[in-house]
Amino acid sequence: MAKILITGGTGFIGSHTAVELISQGYETIIVDNLSNSQAEVLDGIRKITGIKPLFYPYDLCDAARVNEVFGKHGDIEAVIHFAASKAVGESVQKPLLYYRNNLFSLVNLLEAMKQHGVRHMVFSSSCTVYGQPDQLPVTEQTPFKPAESPYGNTKQICE
């Protein structure tokens, strides 16, 4: 059974992803600092799947904690990265929070993945990376324009 690490796994998208992965037979590990979610979500995952995923209430900006998870679970095969601050308006009010959280968390995660030989990642991006596009709908071929918020800029940098 493949082991998948889901960051931000108690959030809306992360928890639904965990349910689907568990339902398909994957073992899931969730890392989430609970800054925008509740630990009770894990009980909901258990009610739906019959399995409560392993959970670490860690902040990915803490590199030692990130390495601890990978060290305890040397057989992680892939990471799905949903952990990011995500409100455009809030990012304008608190830009340093967004740069610190969204960039440092990804860098720490990538460094730990490299150190532990984990080569597969799904990165959750955002349509904000395209800025104000010239036409809709936006496709992956749409060129990036300047970001209009700190949130959008962090997503562009991460990509």
Side-chain angles (χ1 to χ4, degrees):
M1 174 185 333
K3 192 178 285 186
I4 310 293
L5 172 64
I6 305 171
T7 68
T10 59
F12 182 80
I13 296 171
S15 62
H16 284 74
T17 301
V19 166
E20 288 303 313
L21 288 172
I22 292 167
S23 297
Q24 295 298 314
Y26 291 93
E27 184 177 348
T28 60
I29 302 168
I30 291 176
V31 174
D32 198 309
N33 69 4
L34 302 173
S35 64
N36 198 24
S37 60
Q38 305 280 328
E40 291 77 21
V41 168
L42 299 164
D43 296 326
I45 294 171
R46 183 190 46 75
K47 285 179 186 173
I48 294 167
T49 66
I51 297 171
K52 189 171 182 178
L54 290 173
F55 173 66
Y56 295 90
Y58 295 169
D59 188 329
L60 295 173
C61 290
D62 184 338
R65 291 289 200 179
V66 175
N67 277 308
E68 177 186 327
V69 173
F70 282 90
K72 285 183 179 179
H73 304 281
D75 55 346
I76 293 172
E77 293 188 25
V79 174
I80 302 177
H81 184 46
F82 293 126
S85 299
K86 60 179 176 24
V88 171
E90 182 184 56
S91 78
V92 173
Q93 299 298 316
K94 301 175 182 178
L96 292 178
L97 180 139
Y98 276 71
Y99 283 102
R100 183 179 303 110
N101 185 62
N102 294 359
L103 300 179
F104 290 3
S105 64
L106 179 61
V107 168
N108 289 340
L109 191 58
L110 291 171
E111 286 179 340
M113 289 174 66
K114 182 177 180 182
Q115 180 180 341
H116 294 276
V118 179
R119 300 176 50 93
H120 304 286
M121 173 189 258
V122 174
F123 174 76
S124 177
S125 189
S126 168
C127 196
T128 62
V129 299
Y130 298 104
Q132 285 296 326
D134 292 328
Q135 67 182 79
L136 297 174
V138 171
T139 69
E140 289 186 8
Q141 286 72 45
T142 300
F144 284 9
K145 298 261 183 142
E148 296 194 351
S149 69
Y151 167 68
N153 196 39
T154 65
K155 288 304 212 176
Q156 284 183 343
I157 292 167
C158 288
E159 283 208 7

